[in-house]
Amino acid sequence: MTAYFLPIGLLFVSNIFMTFAWYGHLGDLSRPIWLAVLLAWGLAFFEYCLAVPANRIGYGVYSAAELKTLQEVITLIIFAGFAVFWLGEKLTVNHLIGFSLIAAGAFFIFKGPIAA
């Protein structure tokens, strides 16, 4: 049972690190770009320390496509919250429609009715 939930938890936390690594510097554009890059690399290290074990643990339970799909859906959830709370952006109906279409794609990866 741990192999089902632990990868999801690890991917969730790793995506928090990666979202801050990729987009956190946008909250303060006064820092030099070289500093933003160094800080991003530092944060990305911790993201990898969580993402790699998440994929190793989860691979026996989930397929590679399912793990990637989980990661993408988690990324969207984290990013949506980040954009609103860190960057002060508003989510629009277009964002919600786009995210819903991605969620529909995730459905087909996990439970799609189309047989191979």
Side-chain angles (χ1 to χ4, degrees):
M1 196 58 136
T2 299
Y4 284 97
F5 296 110
L6 186 58
I8 293 169
L10 290 170
L11 287 172
F12 203 91
V13 177
S14 78
N15 270 281
I16 292 171
F17 279 103
M18 202 57 175
T19 299
F20 272 94
W22 283 16
Y23 304 105
H25 61 92
L26 297 177
D28 180 9
L29 296 174
S30 67
R31 290 190 178 134
I33 191 70
W34 64 267
L35 182 59
V37 169
L38 288 177
L39 291 171
W41 280 351
L43 287 170
F45 170 78
F46 293 104
E47 186 269 342
Y48 277 87
C49 287
L50 296 166
V52 171
N55 288 313
R56 283 275 182 115
I57 293 165
Y59 187 60
V61 176
Y62 302 106
S63 70
E66 289 171 335
L67 283 168
K68 181 61 179 170
T69 302
L70 281 169
Q71 187 271 330
E72 293 299 336
V73 170
I74 291 167
T75 296
L76 285 176
I77 293 167
I78 298 294
F79 182 78
F82 175 86
V84 169
F85 295 111
W86 184 262
L87 297 176
E89 296 184 1
K90 296 194 182 310
L91 290 181
T92 67
V93 172
N94 285 353
H95 294 121
L96 297 176
I97 291 169
F99 292 167
S100 296
L101 291 172
I102 292 169
F107 169 80
F108 283 103
I109 296 293
F110 281 93
K111 303 288 183 189
I114 300 171

PDB file of all heavy atoms in Angstrom, residues 69-101:
ATOM      1  N   THR A  69       2.175  10.948 -15.834  1.00  0.00           N
ATOM      2  CA  THR A  69       0.868  11.595 -15.764  1.00  0.00           C
ATOM      3  C   THR A  69       0.603  12.128 -14.363  1.00  0.00           C
ATOM      4  O   THR A  69       0.132  13.264 -14.199  1.00  0.00           O
ATOM      5  CB  THR A  69      -0.239  10.614 -16.190  1.00  0.00           C
ATOM      6  OG1 THR A  69       0.041  10.161 -17.520  1.00  0.00           O
ATOM      7  CG2 THR A  69      -1.603  11.266 -16.150  1.00  0.00           C
ATOM      8  N   LEU A  70       0.907  11.329 -13.339  1.00  0.00           N
ATOM      9  CA  LEU A  70       0.781  11.800 -11.953  1.00  0.00           C
ATOM     10  C   LEU A  70       1.601  13.060 -11.742  1.00  0.00           C
ATOM     11  O   LEU A  70       1.119  14.045 -11.167  1.00  0.00           O
ATOM     12  CB  LEU A  70       1.249  10.717 -10.975  1.00  0.00           C
ATOM     13  CG  LEU A  70       0.298   9.579 -10.673  1.00  0.00           C
ATOM     14  CD1 LEU A  70       1.016   8.482  -9.901  1.00  0.00           C
ATOM     15  CD2 LEU A  70      -0.890  10.088  -9.887  1.00  0.00           C
ATOM     16  N   GLN A  71       2.835  13.025 -12.230  1.00  0.00           N
ATOM     17  CA  GLN A  71       3.729  14.175 -12.059  1.00  0.00           C
ATOM     18  C   GLN A  71       3.152  15.418 -12.727  1.00  0.00           C
ATOM     19  O   GLN A  71       3.184  16.500 -12.161  1.00  0.00           O
ATOM     20  CB  GLN A  71       5.116  13.826 -12.601  1.00  0.00           C
ATOM     21  CG  GLN A  71       6.174  14.874 -12.337  1.00  0.00           C
ATOM     22  CD  GLN A  71       6.255  15.919 -13.441  1.00  0.00           C
ATOM     23  OE1 GLN A  71       5.988  15.655 -14.587  1.00  0.00           O
ATOM     24  NE2 GLN A  71       6.637  17.118 -13.065  1.00  0.00           N
ATOM     25  N   GLU A  72       2.600  15.278 -13.897  1.00  0.00           N
ATOM     26  CA  GLU A  72       2.057  16.436 -14.625  1.00  0.00           C
ATOM     27  C   GLU A  72       0.821  17.002 -13.944  1.00  0.00           C
ATOM     28  O   GLU A  72       0.676  18.220 -13.839  1.00  0.00           O
ATOM     29  CB  GLU A  72       1.745  16.059 -16.074  1.00  0.00           C
ATOM     30  CG  GLU A  72       2.963  15.738 -16.914  1.00  0.00           C
ATOM     31  CD  GLU A  72       3.935  16.898 -17.050  1.00  0.00           C
ATOM     32  OE1 GLU A  72       3.532  18.077 -16.907  1.00  0.00           O
ATOM     33  OE2 GLU A  72       5.114  16.639 -17.307  1.00  0.00           O
ATOM     34  N   VAL A  73      -0.064  16.137 -13.478  1.00  0.00           N
ATOM     35  CA  VAL A  73      -1.264  16.603 -12.785  1.00  0.00           C
ATOM     36  C   VAL A  73      -0.879  17.293 -11.480  1.00  0.00           C
ATOM     37  O   VAL A  73      -1.401  18.366 -11.147  1.00  0.00           O
ATOM     38  CB  VAL A  73      -2.253  15.443 -12.558  1.00  0.00           C
ATOM     39  CG1 VAL A  73      -3.381  15.848 -11.623  1.00  0.00           C
ATOM     40  CG2 VAL A  73      -2.808  14.956 -13.892  1.00  0.00           C
ATOM     41  N   ILE A  74       0.048  16.699 -10.744  1.00  0.00           N
ATOM     42  CA  ILE A  74       0.526  17.313  -9.500  1.00  0.00           C
ATOM     43  C   ILE A  74       1.172  18.661  -9.802  1.00  0.00           C
ATOM     44  O   ILE A  74       0.959  19.641  -9.083  1.00  0.00           O
ATOM     45  CB  ILE A  74       1.493  16.362  -8.759  1.00  0.00           C
ATOM     46  CG1 ILE A  74       0.730  15.153  -8.214  1.00  0.00           C
ATOM     47  CG2 ILE A  74       2.237  17.084  -7.640  1.00  0.00           C
ATOM     48  CD1 ILE A  74       1.613  14.014  -7.741  1.00  0.00           C
ATOM     49  N   THR A  75       1.946  18.738 -10.866  1.00  0.00           N
ATOM     50  CA  THR A  75       2.581  19.996 -11.255  1.00  0.00           C
ATOM     51  C   THR A  75       1.538  21.083 -11.502  1.00  0.00           C
ATOM     52  O   THR A  75       1.709  22.227 -11.072  1.00  0.00           O
ATOM     53  CB  THR A  75       3.438  19.801 -12.520  1.00  0.00           C
ATOM     54  OG1 THR A  75       4.502  18.909 -12.209  1.00  0.00           O
ATOM     55  CG2 THR A  75       4.018  21.108 -13.028  1.00  0.00           C
ATOM     56  N   LEU A  76       0.471  20.743 -12.178  1.00  0.00           N
ATOM     57  CA  LEU A  76      -0.571  21.737 -12.442  1.00  0.00           C
ATOM     58  C   LEU A  76      -1.235  22.223 -11.153  1.00  0.00           C
ATOM     59  O   LEU A  76      -1.514  23.412 -10.996  1.00  0.00           O
ATOM     60  CB  LEU A  76      -1.630  21.160 -13.376  1.00  0.00           C
ATOM     61  CG  LEU A  76      -1.221  21.042 -14.827  1.00  0.00           C
ATOM     62  CD1 LEU A  76      -2.330  20.361 -15.628  1.00  0.00           C
ATOM     63  CD2 LEU A  76      -0.920  22.407 -15.413  1.00  0.00           C
ATOM     64  N   ILE A  77      -1.484  21.304 -10.234  1.00  0.00           N
ATOM     65  CA  ILE A  77      -2.095  21.670  -8.960  1.00  0.00           C
ATOM     66  C   ILE A  77      -1.174  22.617  -8.198  1.00  0.00           C
ATOM     67  O   ILE A  77      -1.598  23.676  -7.719  1.00  0.00           O
ATOM     68  CB  ILE A  77      -2.418  20.417  -8.127  1.00  0.00           C
ATOM     69  CG1 ILE A  77      -3.527  19.611  -8.800  1.00  0.00           C
ATOM     70  CG2 ILE A  77      -2.798  20.791  -6.691  1.00  0.00           C
ATOM     71  CD1 ILE A  77      -3.703  18.215  -8.247  1.00  0.00           C
ATOM     72  N   ILE A  78       0.100  22.225  -8.089  1.00  0.00           N
ATOM     73  CA  ILE A  78       1.079  23.055  -7.374  1.00  0.00           C
ATOM     74  C   ILE A  78       1.225  24.405  -8.064  1.00  0.00           C
ATOM     75  O   ILE A  78       1.219  25.458  -7.426  1.00  0.00           O
ATOM     76  CB  ILE A  78       2.453  22.345  -7.287  1.00  0.00           C
ATOM     77  CG1 ILE A  78       2.355  21.044  -6.504  1.00  0.00           C
ATOM     78  CG2 ILE A  78       3.521  23.271  -6.707  1.00  0.00           C
ATOM     79  CD1 ILE A  78       2.015  21.200  -5.050  1.00  0.00           C
ATOM     80  N   PHE A  79       1.365  24.387  -9.385  1.00  0.00           N
ATOM     81  CA  PHE A  79       1.588  25.628 -10.111  1.00  0.00           C
ATOM     82  C   PHE A  79       0.402  26.569  -9.997  1.00  0.00           C
ATOM     83  O   PHE A  79       0.574  27.786  -9.865  1.00  0.00           O
ATOM     84  CB  PHE A  79       1.915  25.371 -11.585  1.00  0.00           C
ATOM     85  CG  PHE A  79       2.202  26.638 -12.315  1.00  0.00           C
ATOM     86  CD1 PHE A  79       3.436  27.253 -12.184  1.00  0.00           C
ATOM     87  CD2 PHE A  79       1.231  27.256 -13.086  1.00  0.00           C
ATOM     88  CE1 PHE A  79       3.706  28.456 -12.827  1.00  0.00           C
ATOM     89  CE2 PHE A  79       1.487  28.455 -13.730  1.00  0.00           C
ATOM     90  CZ  PHE A  79       2.727  29.055 -13.601  1.00  0.00           C
ATOM     91  N   ALA A  80      -0.817  26.047 -10.067  1.00  0.00           N
ATOM     92  CA  ALA A  80      -2.000  26.901  -9.949  1.00  0.00           C
ATOM     93  C   ALA A  80      -1.993  27.631  -8.608  1.00  0.00           C
ATOM     94  O   ALA A  80      -2.205  28.846  -8.548  1.00  0.00           O
ATOM     95  CB  ALA A  80      -3.272  26.076 -10.120  1.00  0.00           C
ATOM     96  N   GLY A  81      -1.726  26.895  -7.533  1.00  0.00           N
ATOM     97  CA  GLY A  81      -1.650  27.529  -6.210  1.00  0.00           C
ATOM     98  C   GLY A  81      -0.510  28.524  -6.129  1.00  0.00           C
ATOM     99  O   GLY A  81      -0.654  29.616  -5.573  1.00  0.00           O
ATOM    100  N   PHE A  82       0.621  28.169  -6.688  1.00  0.00           N
ATOM    101  CA  PHE A  82       1.800  29.039  -6.687  1.00  0.00           C
ATOM    102  C   PHE A  82       1.512  30.347  -7.422  1.00  0.00           C
ATOM    103  O   PHE A  82       1.841  31.437  -6.947  1.00  0.00           O
ATOM    104  CB  PHE A  82       2.971  28.302  -7.343  1.00  0.00           C
ATOM    105  CG  PHE A  82       4.200  29.130  -7.495  1.00  0.00           C
ATOM    106  CD1 PHE A  82       5.119  29.222  -6.471  1.00  0.00           C
ATOM    107  CD2 PHE A  82       4.443  29.820  -8.675  1.00  0.00           C
ATOM    108  CE1 PHE A  82       6.267  29.993  -6.610  1.00  0.00           C
ATOM    109  CE2 PHE A  82       5.586  30.586  -8.826  1.00  0.00           C
ATOM    110  CZ  PHE A  82       6.496  30.671  -7.785  1.00  0.00           C
ATOM    111  N   ALA A  83       0.910  30.242  -8.602  1.00  0.00           N
ATOM    112  CA  ALA A  83       0.625  31.432  -9.409  1.00  0.00           C
ATOM    113  C   ALA A  83      -0.305  32.385  -8.669  1.00  0.00           C
ATOM    114  O   ALA A  83      -0.117  33.600  -8.717  1.00  0.00           O
ATOM    115  CB  ALA A  83       0.021  31.025 -10.757  1.00  0.00           C
ATOM    116  N   VAL A  84      -1.272  31.828  -7.961  1.00  0.00           N
ATOM    117  CA  VAL A  84      -2.228  32.665  -7.230  1.00  0.00           C
ATOM    118  C   VAL A  84      -1.588  33.263  -5.986  1.00  0.00           C
ATOM    119  O   VAL A  84      -1.653  34.471  -5.759  1.00  0.00           O
ATOM    120  CB  VAL A  84      -3.490  31.854  -6.860  1.00  0.00           C
ATOM    121  CG1 VAL A  84      -4.369  32.625  -5.883  1.00  0.00           C
ATOM    122  CG2 VAL A  84      -4.272  31.479  -8.118  1.00  0.00           C
ATOM    123  N   PHE A  85      -0.963  32.411  -5.170  1.00  0.00           N
ATOM    124  CA  PHE A  85      -0.509  32.860  -3.855  1.00  0.00           C
ATOM    125  C   PHE A  85       0.880  33.500  -3.850  1.00  0.00           C
ATOM    126  O   PHE A  85       1.151  34.373  -3.041  1.00  0.00           O
ATOM    127  CB  PHE A  85      -0.571  31.707  -2.849  1.00  0.00           C
ATOM    128  CG  PHE A  85      -1.970  31.234  -2.601  1.00  0.00           C
ATOM    129  CD1 PHE A  85      -2.386  29.998  -3.048  1.00  0.00           C
ATOM    130  CD2 PHE A  85      -2.881  32.052  -1.958  1.00  0.00           C
ATOM    131  CE1 PHE A  85      -3.684  29.569  -2.835  1.00  0.00           C
ATOM    132  CE2 PHE A  85      -4.186  31.637  -1.735  1.00  0.00           C
ATOM    133  CZ  PHE A  85      -4.587  30.384  -2.180  1.00  0.00           C
ATOM    134  N   TRP A  86       1.782  33.083  -4.733  1.00  0.00           N
ATOM    135  CA  TRP A  86       3.138  33.639  -4.744  1.00  0.00           C
ATOM    136  C   TRP A  86       3.266  34.792  -5.740  1.00  0.00           C
ATOM    137  O   TRP A  86       3.853  35.820  -5.443  1.00  0.00           O
ATOM    138  CB  TRP A  86       4.152  32.542  -5.061  1.00  0.00           C
ATOM    139  CG  TRP A  86       5.579  32.996  -5.000  1.00  0.00           C
ATOM    140  CD1 TRP A  86       6.373  33.371  -6.045  1.00  0.00           C
ATOM    141  CD2 TRP A  86       6.396  33.134  -3.829  1.00  0.00           C
ATOM    142  NE1 TRP A  86       7.618  33.722  -5.608  1.00  0.00           N
ATOM    143  CE2 TRP A  86       7.662  33.581  -4.238  1.00  0.00           C
ATOM    144  CE3 TRP A  86       6.177  32.907  -2.477  1.00  0.00           C
ATOM    145  CZ2 TRP A  86       8.700  33.815  -3.362  1.00  0.00           C
ATOM    146  CZ3 TRP A  86       7.215  33.140  -1.592  1.00  0.00           C
ATOM    147  CH2 TRP A  86       8.461  33.588  -2.035  1.00  0.00           C
ATOM    148  N   LEU A  87       2.714  34.575  -6.937  1.00  0.00           N
ATOM    149  CA  LEU A  87       2.856  35.589  -7.983  1.00  0.00           C
ATOM    150  C   LEU A  87       1.678  36.561  -8.027  1.00  0.00           C
ATOM    151  O   LEU A  87       1.740  37.566  -8.732  1.00  0.00           O
ATOM    152  CB  LEU A  87       3.026  34.919  -9.347  1.00  0.00           C
ATOM    153  CG  LEU A  87       4.274  34.046  -9.519  1.00  0.00           C
ATOM    154  CD1 LEU A  87       4.271  33.374 -10.876  1.00  0.00           C
ATOM    155  CD2 LEU A  87       5.545  34.845  -9.295  1.00  0.00           C
ATOM    156  N   GLY A  88       0.605  36.247  -7.322  1.00  0.00           N
ATOM    157  CA  GLY A  88      -0.548  37.129  -7.298  1.00  0.00           C
ATOM    158  C   GLY A  88      -1.351  37.147  -8.582  1.00  0.00           C
ATOM    159  O   GLY A  88      -2.079  38.101  -8.854  1.00  0.00           O
ATOM    160  N   GLU A  89      -1.248  36.107  -9.372  1.00  0.00           N
ATOM    161  CA  GLU A  89      -2.008  36.030 -10.616  1.00  0.00           C
ATOM    162  C   GLU A  89      -3.389  35.443 -10.340  1.00  0.00           C
ATOM    163  O   GLU A  89      -3.612  34.789  -9.333  1.00  0.00           O
ATOM    164  CB  GLU A  89      -1.260  35.175 -11.642  1.00  0.00           C
ATOM    165  CG  GLU A  89       0.062  35.781 -12.053  1.00  0.00           C
ATOM    166  CD  GLU A  89       0.772  34.997 -13.138  1.00  0.00           C
ATOM    167  OE1 GLU A  89       0.235  33.969 -13.608  1.00  0.00           O
ATOM    168  OE2 GLU A  89       1.873  35.425 -13.524  1.00  0.00           O
ATOM    169  N   LYS A  90      -4.284  35.666 -11.256  1.00  0.00           N
ATOM    170  CA  LYS A  90      -5.627  35.116 -11.134  1.00  0.00           C
ATOM    171  C   LYS A  90      -5.789  33.957 -12.114  1.00  0.00           C
ATOM    172  O   LYS A  90      -5.304  34.010 -13.239  1.00  0.00           O
ATOM    173  CB  LYS A  90      -6.668  36.185 -11.436  1.00  0.00           C
ATOM    174  CG  LYS A  90      -6.652  37.328 -10.445  1.00  0.00           C
ATOM    175  CD  LYS A  90      -7.896  38.168 -10.566  1.00  0.00           C
ATOM    176  CE  LYS A  90      -7.904  39.339  -9.631  1.00  0.00           C
ATOM    177  NZ  LYS A  90      -7.620  39.115  -8.264  1.00  0.00           N
ATOM    178  N   LEU A  91      -6.471  32.914 -11.652  1.00  0.00           N
ATOM    179  CA  LEU A  91      -6.808  31.822 -12.556  1.00  0.00           C
ATOM    180  C   LEU A  91      -8.066  32.219 -13.315  1.00  0.00           C
ATOM    181  O   LEU A  91      -9.009  32.746 -12.741  1.00  0.00           O
ATOM    182  CB  LEU A  91      -7.060  30.534 -11.776  1.00  0.00           C
ATOM    183  CG  LEU A  91      -5.839  29.889 -11.139  1.00  0.00           C
ATOM    184  CD1 LEU A  91      -6.232  28.607 -10.417  1.00  0.00           C
ATOM    185  CD2 LEU A  91      -4.771  29.590 -12.175  1.00  0.00           C
ATOM    186  N   THR A  92      -8.054  31.963 -14.597  1.00  0.00           N
ATOM    187  CA  THR A  92      -9.196  32.322 -15.439  1.00  0.00           C
ATOM    188  C   THR A  92      -9.961  31.065 -15.842  1.00  0.00           C
ATOM    189  O   THR A  92      -9.502  29.937 -15.621  1.00  0.00           O
ATOM    190  CB  THR A  92      -8.722  33.047 -16.709  1.00  0.00           C
ATOM    191  OG1 THR A  92      -7.990  32.114 -17.515  1.00  0.00           O
ATOM    192  CG2 THR A  92      -7.858  34.254 -16.377  1.00  0.00           C
ATOM    193  N   VAL A  93     -11.096  31.282 -16.459  1.00  0.00           N
ATOM    194  CA  VAL A  93     -11.885  30.166 -16.974  1.00  0.00           C
ATOM    195  C   VAL A  93     -11.053  29.392 -18.001  1.00  0.00           C
ATOM    196  O   VAL A  93     -11.104  28.159 -18.050  1.00  0.00           O
ATOM    197  CB  VAL A  93     -13.207  30.676 -17.590  1.00  0.00           C
ATOM    198  CG1 VAL A  93     -13.944  29.561 -18.310  1.00  0.00           C
ATOM    199  CG2 VAL A  93     -14.084  31.279 -16.505  1.00  0.00           C
ATOM    200  N   ASN A  94     -10.284  30.084 -18.816  1.00  0.00           N
ATOM    201  CA  ASN A  94      -9.443  29.403 -19.806  1.00  0.00           C
ATOM    202  C   ASN A  94      -8.431  28.478 -19.142  1.00  0.00           C
ATOM    203  O   ASN A  94      -8.162  27.379 -19.640  1.00  0.00           O
ATOM    204  CB  ASN A  94      -8.715  30.419 -20.690  1.00  0.00           C
ATOM    205  CG  ASN A  94      -9.637  31.057 -21.696  1.00  0.00           C
ATOM    206  OD1 ASN A  94     -10.782  30.667 -21.843  1.00  0.00           O
ATOM    207  ND2 ASN A  94      -9.144  32.063 -22.388  1.00  0.00           N
ATOM    208  N   HIS A  95      -7.835  28.925 -18.027  1.00  0.00           N
ATOM    209  CA  HIS A  95      -6.912  28.056 -17.289  1.00  0.00           C
ATOM    210  C   HIS A  95      -7.644  26.804 -16.820  1.00  0.00           C
ATOM    211  O   HIS A  95      -7.137  25.682 -16.969  1.00  0.00           O
ATOM    212  CB  HIS A  95      -6.335  28.771 -16.058  1.00  0.00           C
ATOM    213  CG  HIS A  95      -5.447  29.917 -16.393  1.00  0.00           C
ATOM    214  ND1 HIS A  95      -5.713  31.186 -15.950  1.00  0.00           N
ATOM    215  CD2 HIS A  95      -4.308  29.997 -17.118  1.00  0.00           C
ATOM    216  CE1 HIS A  95      -4.775  32.005 -16.384  1.00  0.00           C
ATOM    217  NE2 HIS A  95      -3.908  31.306 -17.104  1.00  0.00           N
ATOM    218  N   LEU A  96      -8.817  26.996 -16.239  1.00  0.00           N
ATOM    219  CA  LEU A  96      -9.577  25.860 -15.714  1.00  0.00           C
ATOM    220  C   LEU A  96      -9.991  24.896 -16.822  1.00  0.00           C
ATOM    221  O   LEU A  96      -9.944  23.672 -16.644  1.00  0.00           O
ATOM    222  CB  LEU A  96     -10.789  26.355 -14.929  1.00  0.00           C
ATOM    223  CG  LEU A  96     -10.455  27.187 -13.686  1.00  0.00           C
ATOM    224  CD1 LEU A  96     -11.730  27.717 -13.040  1.00  0.00           C
ATOM    225  CD2 LEU A  96      -9.638  26.386 -12.690  1.00  0.00           C
ATOM    226  N   ILE A  97     -10.362  25.414 -17.968  1.00  0.00           N
ATOM    227  CA  ILE A  97     -10.708  24.551 -19.104  1.00  0.00           C
ATOM    228  C   ILE A  97      -9.477  23.773 -19.560  1.00  0.00           C
ATOM    229  O   ILE A  97      -9.532  22.559 -19.776  1.00  0.00           O
ATOM    230  CB  ILE A  97     -11.307  25.368 -20.261  1.00  0.00           C
ATOM    231  CG1 ILE A  97     -12.685  25.909 -19.864  1.00  0.00           C
ATOM    232  CG2 ILE A  97     -11.401  24.535 -21.542  1.00  0.00           C
ATOM    233  CD1 ILE A  97     -13.255  26.950 -20.825  1.00  0.00           C
ATOM    234  N   GLY A  98      -8.352  24.472 -19.692  1.00  0.00           N
ATOM    235  CA  GLY A  98      -7.119  23.804 -20.112  1.00  0.00           C
ATOM    236  C   GLY A  98      -6.691  22.726 -19.125  1.00  0.00           C
ATOM    237  O   GLY A  98      -6.330  21.613 -19.520  1.00  0.00           O
ATOM    238  N   PHE A  99      -6.733  23.036 -17.838  1.00  0.00           N
ATOM    239  CA  PHE A  99      -6.375  22.056 -16.821  1.00  0.00           C
ATOM    240  C   PHE A  99      -7.343  20.871 -16.853  1.00  0.00           C
ATOM    241  O   PHE A  99      -6.942  19.723 -16.661  1.00  0.00           O
ATOM    242  CB  PHE A  99      -6.359  22.687 -15.438  1.00  0.00           C
ATOM    243  CG  PHE A  99      -5.257  23.697 -15.211  1.00  0.00           C
ATOM    244  CD1 PHE A  99      -5.291  24.529 -14.110  1.00  0.00           C
ATOM    245  CD2 PHE A  99      -4.191  23.822 -16.096  1.00  0.00           C
ATOM    246  CE1 PHE A  99      -4.273  25.463 -13.885  1.00  0.00           C
ATOM    247  CE2 PHE A  99      -3.173  24.752 -15.888  1.00  0.00           C
ATOM    248  CZ  PHE A  99      -3.224  25.570 -14.783  1.00  0.00           C
ATOM    249  N   SER A 100      -8.614  21.148 -17.103  1.00  0.00           N
ATOM    250  CA  SER A 100      -9.605  20.070 -17.175  1.00  0.00           C
ATOM    251  C   SER A 100      -9.316  19.136 -18.346  1.00  0.00           C
ATOM    252  O   SER A 100      -9.486  17.912 -18.234  1.00  0.00           O
ATOM    253  CB  SER A 100     -11.016  20.649 -17.306  1.00  0.00           C
ATOM    254  OG  SER A 100     -11.346  21.382 -16.162  1.00  0.00           O
ATOM    255  N   LEU A 101      -8.896  19.697 -19.459  1.00  0.00           N
ATOM    256  CA  LEU A 101      -8.553  18.854 -20.616  1.00  0.00           C
ATOM    257  C   LEU A 101      -7.346  17.973 -20.310  1.00  0.00           C
ATOM    258  O   LEU A 101      -7.288  16.813 -20.720  1.00  0.00           O
ATOM    259  CB  LEU A 101      -8.301  19.724 -21.848  1.00  0.00           C
ATOM    260  CG  LEU A 101      -9.548  20.406 -22.414  1.00  0.00           C
ATOM    261  CD1 LEU A 101      -9.166  21.406 -23.503  1.00  0.00           C
ATOM    262  CD2 LEU A 101     -10.535  19.375 -22.940  1.00  0.00           C
TER     263      LEU A 101
END
